Amino acid sequence: DEFPLRARYLPVMEVIRSATINAAKVVGMEGKLGVVAKDALADLIVVDGDPLADISVLTNQGAHLPAIMKDGQFVKNMLE
């Protein structure tokens, strides 16, 4: 429930940025984490909904995430 709480005080895009790009900077992995780019690590999620309109789609233990990739491999794939 952290994202909706933070979104009360920050723009939603900033909340998402802090969990991706900014977090990558903190751990010294800028350009490898938090971005979709050549040579970056392939950890991706597919979101059922628009997190910019309703950030709560990023909560509930992945209930709104039909697909999750880790290291370029699906660990969850409900799209098929």
Side-chain angles (χ1 to χ4, degrees), residues 12-61:
V12 172
M13 183 55 87
E14 187 55 37
V15 174
I16 294 169
R17 203 175 280 125
S18 73
T20 56
I21 297 167
N22 294 348
K25 289 178 187 176
V26 168
V27 297
M29 297 287 289
E30 189 173 6
K32 290 286 188 189
L33 298 176
V35 297
V36 177
K38 185 177 189 276
D39 297 325
L41 300 175
D43 296 347
L44 302 168
I45 60 173
V46 174
V47 181
D48 183 15
D50 179 357
L52 296 177
D54 178 10
I55 198 161
S56 72
V57 297
L58 298 176
T59 63
N60 297 322
Q61 298 296 313

